[in-house]
Amino acid sequence: MEFRGYNPKEIEKKWQRKWEEDRVFYVKEEGKKFYLLEMFPYPSGKIHMGHVRNYTIGDAIARYLFMKGYNVLHPMGWDAFGLPAENAAIKHGMHPAVWTKNNIDHMRKQLKSLGLSYDWSREISTCEPSYYRWEQKIFIEMFKRGLAYRKRGLVNWCPDCATVLANEQVEGGVCWRCGSPVTFRELEQWYFKITAYAEELLQGLKTLKGKWPERVLIMQENWIGKSEGAECSFPIENGEGVITVFTTRLDTVYGATFMSLAPEHPLVIKLAEGTPCESAVKNFVDECLRKRLINKETTEKEGVWTGKCCINPFTGWKMPIYVANFVLMEYGTGAVMAVPAHDQRDFEFAKKYGLPIKVVVNPIDKFLKEEDLERAYEEDGILVNSGPFSGLHSAVAREKIAEFIKEKGWGRKMVNYKIKDWGISRQRYWGAPIPVVHCKNCGIQPVKEEDLPVILPENVIISGKGESPLKSVPEFVKTSCPKCGGEAERETDTMDTFVESSWYFLRYASPDEHNAPFDRKRVKYWLPVDLYIGGIEHAVLHLLYARFFVKVLRDLGYIDFDEPFLSLLTQGMVIKDGKKMSKSYGNVVEPDEIIEKYGADTGRLFILFASPPERDLEWSEQGVEGCFRFINRVWRTFFNIINIIKSSNGIKEERHEIMKAFHQTIKRITDEFDSRYHFNTAISGIMEFLNTLTSFLDRKNGKFEPQDIFALKEVAYHLPIILSPFAPYVSEEMWSILKEVDERAKAYPYVSRHPWPSYNPEIIAEEFINIPVQVNGKLRGIIRVKKDEEEEEVFRIAFSDPKIQKYLVEKKILKKVYQKNKILNIVVE
RNA sequence: GCCUGGGUGGCGGAAAAGGUAGACGCAGAGGACUUAAAAUCCUCUUCCGGUUAAACCCGGAGUGCCGGUUCAAGUCCGGCCCCAGGCACCA
């Protein structure tokens, strides 16, 4: 076989074409399925290293599972609606649809060059009417069930994106996309009732334990924010009604000495009206709202008296009603019973305004005195000064008092969640139209199913000025009412793009289905997703929404499972010079340039080798070069072996050193794929094997025994197979060369579709093993003994070793420890 | 403030279950081949100290810090420090 140099450019193009022509990775619904999905990209223009990492990890696993005999669904598509398309339209005068399509075409080419094993026949793009049409249908069904509704309220507003944001899209007070500080607006908006599923979304997390990263589960749990407590009403003086609070600390109710209301609480102005406090209250409320609008919040507790009081029904005390800046209208009832002795915020407030502090819970081992308190005692303890409940433990008291208020009709036990309904209205053009019309007579009416999809009109003026651009298209807006046929106007808001990504994984099962969102039978076969891979940044946003959608679709009767993603792998970021790769840092490495210079195989190998998937990956050009050198070494060694084995048949010797080393390598790789996907160690295993192999070839110096030939034949056959999940192109090329000398290979046109080899444990099993010998815990020598040798004999060998003897001269042996086949420790004085 | 990760050579990282710390790769040093360079191959490479012609020799220390459990700790327990991420007045 004549040697030729490794030429990635040539071979990568060739195999890419062949895979595509023969539809090597296309799948039908037959056999044991595995649905492997990577988060689909937003078509921003070109792929970045983060994408390459995400898809390379997924591809290695998909290829392994293919070879293991699974019927692997491994699809790719485009999260194609979104703001950047509109911004590009404003900037370059290009229509968002054209901009998006161009980007998709370019990025598809880039992905293909990476050698990813996708079933491209299932490609979807969410901006196509054939996709969003079904989203509109689902919306209408949700609307009919009250799961999609419209309400007026204070919403998050990004002044830069000129649109509304969901709570999940506000990160630390700034917009998740552009980073501008978020302000508030009072608007009428569409919402999805995710709160109706709060408890189930929380409970479902338990079923994902061990299969999703712990931190993602915790982040979702915190986001849902369940707390168990009680609702309790306090009558306002002079019979002006009641104030209802939510509390988790009903055991401290005897210590409630005043009441705090949120600035937006509807009672605030009413209570203050006509009292001397009226103008102070109004000023305070205005100032609070203004501060919120410009996002200037302080931790300093401030408030003013409304001029009114309510009564603590337990003690009969008058509780002054305050309006306070730290009380949130969005949580609970917007009113808090203040217990300064047992809540730090109330404590600070009480100290500032001279309000009474009363201890009603003591720690188990001491008595607290109000005058000594430096901060609130917030732990549970034993109740005091609490009427009939004194002496009870907090936990018991909470139950008893809850029963008591229920009997009295003052309140009841209650559960509260932090999660809010998902605001999905966006005042933007490039999104799926919300399929309803507004009729003067009939109100809000869903579009008739046969009239779907409501297609986005093409001729739109996109100003980016905050009003939905669709309002500027009269032929779109003007329509007739689906109910009465009279004049009506279409809804001009579009849906949040997170709605598309909440169900796209279902569409891949049957992307060609024209009569329904998806074909139930095929969805039943493929879904749920067995392994989902993507960035941690979607821990709450996308992953929570998708879980919600699956539960909704289940309740709408479409599917019969509860969770979309059985297991989740979150990969780390790609870092360069210690910082995230980004344009603003100027440290971006273009995937295309790496492919051009070294080939996709090298890029893939480096990404998998540089660090385990879940950790951040430090980009290193020299590291890439190292991987390129490794592939070249494999290539040369492979030619070398081919030339050795082509003439002779060899004789089988299972325990040949090379066979042994090779089977160990197979085991190492297989174990990684079957457990934790740490490909860095799997690849280092292949490197180690290659080191062993080359030093063996060197040592033999061209003189090979028939046993050697047999072993090398095995290596030549299996090396392309085990390398193929990581570096598929060069593996295919090696396979095609192998075919010229090994008949067996001819049965498989593609190494990508060759069954994964199993290793033989008997070959790996060692007859003799090395046992490290320690004296007083320090390594002093290594002895070689038969595997499973008797303890007595092992010690005999150790004691007769001169190296070890040296440390035992004239020492009294206190203890001897032997861990079978592992280690030996001799303790001396 | 609370919750999660994480801290191991010059660097990326190994050590999956308490048992030889530093696999593999990068960078570095030396050597072989070559007129030369590139490429390739070989050797060395945690730190400190000692013997020595040189050491593949000897001794000691070492996985953020302090302490503990154990024959044995990067790994387990307690207390702290630092870094990254998430949540952040949630009653």
Side-chain angles (χ1 to χ4, degrees), chain A residues 111-125:
Chain A
L111 289 185
K112 284 188 175 176
S113 74
L114 282 167
L116 305 170
S117 59
Y118 293 125
D119 178 347
W120 283 104
S121 73
R122 293 172 187 262
E123 180 181 354
I124 57 173
S125 173

Side-chain angles (χ1 to χ4, degrees), chain A residues 501-545:
Chain A
S501 54
S502 294
W503 70 282
Y504 77 108
F505 45 90
L506 289 154
R507 185 74 188 164
Y508 283 134
S510 53
D512 50 353
E513 173 61 56
H514 294 305
N515 302 310
F518 36 79
D519 171 9
R520 277 163 210 245
K521 251 171 74 187
R522 284 190 276 171
V523 162
K524 207 178 164 88
Y525 174 79
W526 288 114
L527 274 282
V529 173
D530 294 278
L531 175 61
Y532 197 30
I533 309 174
I536 186 78
E537 65 273 18
H538 292 294
V540 173
L541 282 161
H542 161 59
L543 290 169
L544 187 68
Y545 293 149

Side-chain angles (χ1 to χ4, degrees), chain A residues 443-671:
Chain A
I444 293 168
Q445 291 297 325
V447 172
K448 279 189 192 147
E449 209 180 296
E450 56 268 33
D451 294 335
L452 293 180
V454 175
I455 294 197
L456 261 185
E458 268 182 46
N459 300 317
V460 173
I461 302 146
I462 297 164
S463 65
K465 289 287 185 288
E467 207 176 51
S468 174
L470 291 176
K471 278 203 195 315
S472 71
V473 189
E475 14 353 331
F476 177 81
V477 176
K478 275 182 81 176
T479 186
S480 55
C481 173
K483 197 173 176 193
C484 69
E487 255 182 43
E489 290 192 351
R490 271 190 207 284
E491 171 67 55
T492 54
D493 282 353
T494 52
M495 283 191 249
D496 182 4
T497 55
F498 278 90
V499 180
E500 282 92 62
S501 54
S502 294
W503 70 282
Y504 77 108
F505 45 90
L506 289 154
R507 185 74 188 164
Y508 283 134
S510 53
D512 50 353
E513 173 61 56
H514 294 305
N515 302 310
F518 36 79
D519 171 9
R520 277 163 210 245
K521 251 171 74 187
R522 284 190 276 171
V523 162
K524 207 178 164 88
Y525 174 79
W526 288 114
L527 274 282
V529 173
D530 294 278
L531 175 61
Y532 197 30
I533 309 174
I536 186 78
E537 65 273 18
H538 292 294
V540 173
L541 282 161
H542 161 59
L543 290 169
L544 187 68
Y545 293 149
R547 292 182 61 224
F548 161 63
F549 243 69
V550 158
K551 291 170 200 305
V552 169
L553 288 168
R554 178 202 59 201
D555 291 346
L556 292 174
Y558 282 103
I559 52 180
D560 58 6
F561 52 93
D562 305 314
E563 289 289 340
F565 314 120
L566 293 183
S567 60
L568 176 71
L569 178 62
T570 48
Q571 102 263 359
M573 284 187 298
V574 180
I575 303 284
K576 182 146 183 280
D577 312 321
K579 285 170 291 204
K580 187 184 164 164
M581 258 193 204
S582 93
K583 235 186 250 167
S584 54
Y585 293 129
N587 59 354
V588 174
V589 178
E590 292 297 340
D592 282 351
E593 283 169 25
I594 297 300
I595 293 172
E596 171 69 22
K597 200 164 164 195
Y598 304 100
D601 279 341
T602 295
R604 294 173 56 124
L605 203 72
F606 170 73
I607 277 182
L608 296 173
F609 177 64
S611 83
E614 66 276 9
R615 251 204 259 187
D616 284 352
L617 182 152
E618 174 78 34
W619 188 268
S620 149
E621 185 80 23
Q622 282 154 338
V624 177
E625 246 163 84
C627 289
F628 183 65
R629 276 201 290 269
F630 170 70
I631 293 181
N632 273 282
R633 258 184 87 201
V634 171
W635 178 260
R636 282 194 307 271
T637 310
F638 184 75
F639 264 85
N640 199 348
I641 301 177
I642 290 284
N643 281 319
I644 294 165
I645 63 173
K646 68 180 172 194
S647 49
S648 167
N649 269 330
I651 296 170
K652 184 172 184 178
E653 185 201 336
E654 285 214 324
R655 307 188 65 85
H656 192 278
E657 57 180 307
I658 290 299
M659 290 284 274
K660 223 182 217 178
F662 195 54
H663 277 246
Q664 248 151 15
T665 306
I666 298 174
K667 174 174 164 39
R668 224 167 134 179
I669 301 170
T670 308
D671 288 351

